[in-house]
Amino acid sequence: MPDIAIKFDNISKRYEKGSSTIRESISKLFRGTTDQNYSTLENTASDSNVFWALKDVSFEVKKGNTLGIIGPNGAGKSTILKLLAGITEPTSGKITINGKIGVLIELGAGFHPEFTGRENIYLNGAIMGMSKKDINEKFAAIVDFAELHEFIDTPVKHYSSGMYLRLGFSIAAHLEPDILLIDEVLAVGDAPFQAKCLKKIGELKQSGVIMVLVSHNLHSIRILCNKTILLNQGNIVFYGETETAINNYTDLITKKTEVSCNEEVKFKSKVKEVKDKAEILGVEFLNSQNIRKNIYYTGEKFILAIRYIAHCKIDNPVFTLGIYSFDGTLYAGHSTALDGFHMESIEGNGTVRVEFEHIPLLPGIYEISVGIFDKEGLSPYDWHQKKYKFHVASGGSKATGLFYLPHKWIIE
Amino acid sequence: MLKDLSKLFYYRELLYNLTLREIKGRYKQTAIGIAWALFQPLSMMIVFTIVFSYFAKIQTESIPYPLFSYCGLVAWSFFSNSISKGTNSIIGNINLVTKIYFPREIFPISTTISNFIDFLISSLLFLLLAIFYKTPITPYLFAVPVIFIIHTIFIIGLSLFLSALNVFKRDIGYLVPIVLQIWMFLSPVVYPVTLVPEEYRWLYMLNPLAGIIEGYRKTILFGEMPPLGPLGFSAFIAFIVFSASYFYFKKVEKKFADVI
């Protein structure tokens, strides 16, 4: 079947935890890795000493597709990439790959610190399977992309970490593989570099390179991948449309974090210091009928009510609100001061509401920080950092990217 | 195994680059650079000349002791350096082993080649020494490349085995230097085979390096036939070690990334 680039057939991967005795390991060394009797025997013998990174995983990637792999830590994402790259072998099952594999797992893994940028391009290129002729041809493009003209003859030990990563990415991106494996490398470097990498990867995708992308950055998964696998504890939970996979993933995480959140609150309340002037009592998420909820659709009305108590009279307080993506990026920071909303004074119990007519956030999990500050907005009376979470589910207005911006289309 | 060997040809540029990395990396930021390759056998030669030639008065037949011992030391250093560095060649490249796939035997092989360069350089000094002592040129010199090939096959074979074993049990890394030290004194490096009592000599010659070092010495220094029996035995052992090690290496290679 030539239109299938990658095929995983009931792949399982077992790791052995801890070390075994010398006698065991010596006898093990002389037995084969493909010895089936031995592996089943081993299973029953010491089940507690093994760890299954993947269990019966099967999937296919057709030519011209980009596959995303998401899931919590330890789900087996990197194991899939290592199997694809041939770095490790499955314990059972069969992997079929049609095409030359390129790896973007760790940028600059093969760099020698004493070598110059130029020498490292040849060394790293060779490690990734490029011939000297290939590298000669692409040398200028690699240096251009990495923006390292001045420093190409400087030993890389003198490079900044940004320069190091730029060079590593640039070499890998010019490999021209049929299949490119990418593991979290987009999470490195500064914002302009990330954008540049993303653009380059987009170009590679356009040119027909099949990609397998592992990332916690749901944004890059959303814009790059046609299909996405959601892994949890070595099993495929979902394989299909990227949007659905991301929704299932956010559900999975919400369930997990709800438990840990409660624990955290309990812990905090125990050691809670007495806020002598004002305190935030809580935050409620409401819909247009003032009913509490914490799942919204994109474009829906979103109301946040901050309940507080002021123990004495506070003049000109400032209320703040920060909305963060799940990976910690501040998407929006609002405050009564920035909005020019003047509050004379507060005293006793009260509630402040923030209303968003149409919430522009796309499906995902978001965290909220709220605070009451003094009139300069510098020192807080009380501040709850990322203490609240809400969930935007798919089913509302659709868009790609980060936000749904209010807009309309007009034919003239 | 032949398939694996032909695959190596495809990766020759990587082999070249990794060897270069090792040689350059070894001598960068040193004042005299690759000249260090001369100092190890040279300094040992001087010490052994003082100890064995002046104190112990070992007889080396017609050959002056410095030339005699330097010949053995150059051959021995190639073996010993390649083995001790080769043993650590895979665990020393964790970065690459866990991130990118290519045939792993490239690591011990490139270590051996980079030590071969050191071997060449110390051989140059040997050449000067041989000219100085007016060593005659004989047709038996044609046997030297053959002995060298046996020597190298044995080195690569042993490196393959030890480097792989060292991934699973790091004890190997501690054991190898000790064994090498003992091995040197069990080989005719700084003394002639004739020093070994006649009745134990057959046992002594079971050491494959004995045949190899004797081979170099007989052909280059004495201008005689190499000792065909011991050398043939060394060749046989070298081939067995190489084949078995390579087979073992390829079998466990894919486990490296899991264990390392």
Side-chain angles (χ1 to χ4, degrees):
Chain A
M1 271 178 281
D3 61 325
I4 287 176
I6 298 169
K7 190 171 183 206
F8 263 50
D9 227 351
N10 293 313
I11 297 296
S12 296
K13 174 70 190 175
R14 186 192 59 204
Y15 284 104
E16 268 143 67
K17 292 188 284 191
S19 56
S20 39
T21 66
I22 289 185
R23 213 183 57 169
E24 266 174 36
S25 47
I26 286 179
S27 63
K28 209 181 288 170
L29 285 178
F30 291 93
R31 274 181 282 185
T33 44
T34 49
D35 190 343
Q36 290 300 320
N37 292 334
Y38 149 66
S39 53
T40 47
L41 234 162
E42 181 81 1
N43 283 348
T44 49
S46 55
D47 237 0
S48 59
N49 211 28
V50 302
F51 161 72
W52 291 91
L54 290 177
K55 278 172 277 182
D56 271 333
V57 169
S58 301
F59 64 89
E60 285 178 0
V61 182
K62 293 215 171 81
K63 291 236 158 101
N65 271 339
T66 303
L67 174 72
I69 303 178
I70 55 177
N73 287 332
K77 305 184 295 287
S78 298
T79 306
I80 290 189
L81 284 199
K82 284 190 172 175
L83 288 167
L84 281 171
I87 294 164
T88 184
E89 249 184 0
T91 310
S92 66
K94 189 166 174 279
I95 301 174
T96 316
I97 292 168
N98 293 314
K100 178 181 148 201
I101 295 258
V103 186
L104 260 176
I105 290 188
E106 191 170 293
L107 298 175
F111 282 180
H112 193 294
E114 299 283 352
F115 279 22
T116 65
R118 181 188 304 276
E119 289 168 321
N120 269 309
I121 290 178
Y122 283 94
L123 174 64
N124 224 34
I127 288 171
M128 301 214 216
M130 287 163 99
S131 71
K132 195 169 180 194
K133 206 175 122 249
D134 285 348
I135 303 172
N136 281 337
E137 276 168 16
K138 286 173 194 141
F139 189 84
I142 291 172
V143 179
D144 263 354
F145 187 88
E147 298 167 20
L148 285 171
H149 304 267
E150 278 176 72
F151 302 103
I152 201 63
D153 289 311
T154 308
V156 297
K157 66 178 174 183
H158 298 307
Y159 279 21
S160 70
S161 54
M163 290 156 80
Y164 204 85
L165 293 170
R166 286 202 315 258
L167 189 61
F169 181 88
S170 185
I171 297 169
H174 288 84
L175 258 179
E176 296 190 351
D178 303 316
I179 302 167
L180 186 62
L181 311 177
I182 307 171
D183 188 4
E184 277 310 352
V185 286
L186 301 173
V188 296
D190 57 6
F193 176 66
Q194 281 191 25
K196 200 173 169 182
C197 291
L198 217 56
K199 187 168 166 256
K200 179 75 191 173
I201 288 175
E203 283 169 26
L204 290 173
K205 189 187 161 187
Q206 287 295 313
S207 69
V209 177
I210 301 148
M211 277 186 240
V212 181
L213 178 68
V214 166
S215 186
H216 285 291
N217 184 344
L218 299 179
H219 170 58
S220 46
I221 294 273
R222 187 179 270 135
I223 60 173
L224 287 171
C225 304
N226 317 90
K227 292 256 174 94
T228 296
I229 287 177
L230 171 59
L231 275 181
N232 192 23
Q233 295 176 342
N235 293 302
I236 293 189
V237 180
F238 177 83
Y239 177 31
E241 293 305 315
T242 297
E243 221 35 68
T244 324
I246 289 178
N247 288 329
N248 287 341
Y249 178 45
T250 48
D251 282 345
L252 191 78
I253 289 192
T254 332
K255 271 184 218 139
K256 267 197 182 166
T257 46
E258 264 165 15
V259 181
S260 60
C261 255
N262 291 340
E263 280 165 9
E264 203 176 326
V265 170
K266 252 185 252 156
F267 173 71
K268 269 194 181 152
S269 60
K270 226 186 268 176
V271 294
K272 191 172 171 183
E273 53 198 294
V274 179
K275 306 285 189 323
D276 51 354
K277 288 186 173 162
E279 273 178 74
I280 292 168
L281 299 174
V283 167
E284 275 159 22
F285 298 102
L286 308 167
N287 70 359
S288 50
Q289 279 88 43
N290 283 329
I291 296 165
R292 289 171 71 160
K293 64 186 283 184
N294 61 8
I295 296 177
Y296 293 86
Y297 296 118
T298 307
E300 206 183 355
K301 185 162 182 171
F302 171 67
I303 300 169
L304 201 104
I306 306 168
R307 291 187 295 111
Y308 65 86
I309 180 163
H311 299 297
C312 57
K313 186 166 180 280
I314 295 172
D315 290 324
N316 306 328
V318 171
F319 281 79
T320 65
L321 163 69
I323 301 178
Y324 297 84
S325 69
F326 199 69
D327 55 19
T329 315
L330 176 63
Y331 273 9
H334 299 297
S335 83
T336 50
L338 289 173
D339 292 336
F341 181 80
H342 187 69
M343 296 175 80
E344 205 53 59
S345 66
I346 53 170
E347 192 168 8
N349 279 300
T351 303
V352 171
R353 282 161 63 110
V354 196
E355 295 191 7
F356 295 85
E357 206 52 50
H358 302 287
I359 185 168
L361 300 169
L362 294 179
I365 296 174
Y366 298 90
E367 291 180 306
I368 295 283
S369 295
V370 291
I372 308 177
F373 285 71
D374 63 1
K375 63 173 180 262
E376 281 81 28
L378 294 176
S379 48
Y381 295 114
D382 194 6
W383 188 42
H384 290 179
Q385 194 191 5
K386 295 188 189 169
K387 202 173 156 186
Y388 309 97
K389 283 189 181 67
F390 69 98
H391 188 163
V392 177
S394 64
S397 309
K398 289 191 179 67
T400 58
L402 299 177
F403 297 108
Y404 179 89
L405 298 176
H407 63 282
K408 52 184 165 186
W409 299 90
I410 295 149
I411 298 174
E412 288 202 324
Chain B
M1 199 165 84
L2 287 175
K3 213 178 86 195
D4 290 325
L5 281 172
S6 65
K7 215 170 160 190
L8 270 188
F9 182 73
Y10 173 80
Y11 281 98
R12 64 195 181 279
E13 276 182 39
L14 177 57
L15 194 59
Y16 168 78
N17 272 291
L18 282 180
T19 307
L20 206 66
R21 171 175 106 145
E22 195 157 334
I23 297 169
K24 278 206 211 164
R26 202 182 302 159
Y27 298 114
K28 275 229 167 148
Q29 289 264 311
T30 61
I32 60 167
I34 203 152
W36 276 114
L38 290 176
F39 279 78
Q40 195 199 14
L42 187 66
S43 58
M44 281 168 84
M45 184 264 271
I46 292 168
V47 170
F48 283 115
T49 302
I50 293 167
V51 174
F52 282 159
S53 179
Y54 291 98
F55 300 164
K57 302 223 188 307
I58 284 184
Q59 289 307 309
T60 51
E61 296 167 53
S62 57
I63 308 299
Y65 186 80
L67 187 63
F68 179 90
S69 63
Y70 193 69
C71 176
L73 284 165
V74 169
W76 171 259
S77 300
F78 178 37
F79 174 77
S80 134
N81 290 339
S82 304
I83 297 297
S84 59
K85 294 209 178 82
T87 302
N88 294 313
S89 61
I90 289 170
I91 60 167
N93 281 295
I94 291 181
N95 269 347
L96 292 178
V97 172
T98 55
K99 301 292 184 276
I100 299 161
Y101 178 74
F102 48 81
R104 303 305 187 201
E105 60 268 35
I106 286 182
F107 291 120
I109 293 177
S110 75
T111 306
T112 306
I113 298 176
S114 72
N115 279 295
F116 166 68
I117 304 297
D118 284 8
F119 172 71
L120 276 186
I121 287 167
S122 42
S123 298
L124 283 181
L125 185 67
F126 175 73
L127 199 67
L128 294 179
L129 219 56
I131 294 169
F132 177 78
Y133 284 111
K134 300 194 175 58
T135 308
I137 295 172
T138 64
Y140 293 111
L141 286 178
F142 285 109
V144 172
V146 178
I147 302 170
F148 171 74
I149 288 168
I150 298 169
H151 193 186
T152 308
I153 287 178
F154 185 55
I155 290 174
I156 293 178
L158 211 53
S159 294
L160 284 170
F161 179 67
L162 292 172
S163 62
L165 205 58
N166 200 21
V167 172
F168 300 102
K169 286 290 161 201
R170 300 287 160 93
D171 310 53
I172 301 300
Y174 294 95
L175 200 63
V176 164
I178 302 168
V179 172
L180 281 174
Q181 203 145 33
I182 298 167
W183 199 339
M184 175 173 157
F185 288 99
L186 290 177
S187 308
V189 180
V190 291
Y191 58 86
V193 181
T194 48
L195 217 66
V196 179
E198 198 84 54
E199 65 263 42
Y200 298 120
R201 205 165 292 164
W202 66 272
L203 190 67
Y204 184 82
M205 293 311 279
L206 287 183
N207 169 7
L209 277 181
I212 291 168
I213 295 175
E214 268 303 285
Y216 281 125
R217 227 175 235 145
K218 281 273 183 277
T219 49
I220 303 172
L221 298 184
F222 292 90
E224 291 171 12
M225 267 294 276
L228 288 180
L231 195 60
F233 176 73
S234 302
F236 174 71
I237 295 290
F239 182 73
I240 296 288
V241 166
F242 179 82
S243 312
S245 299
Y246 204 15
F247 179 74
Y248 167 70
F249 191 94
K250 292 313 276 184
K251 204 163 174 177
V252 298
E253 173 188 60
K254 294 260 171 157
K255 283 191 159 187
F256 289 169
D258 299 349
V259 185
I260 209 161

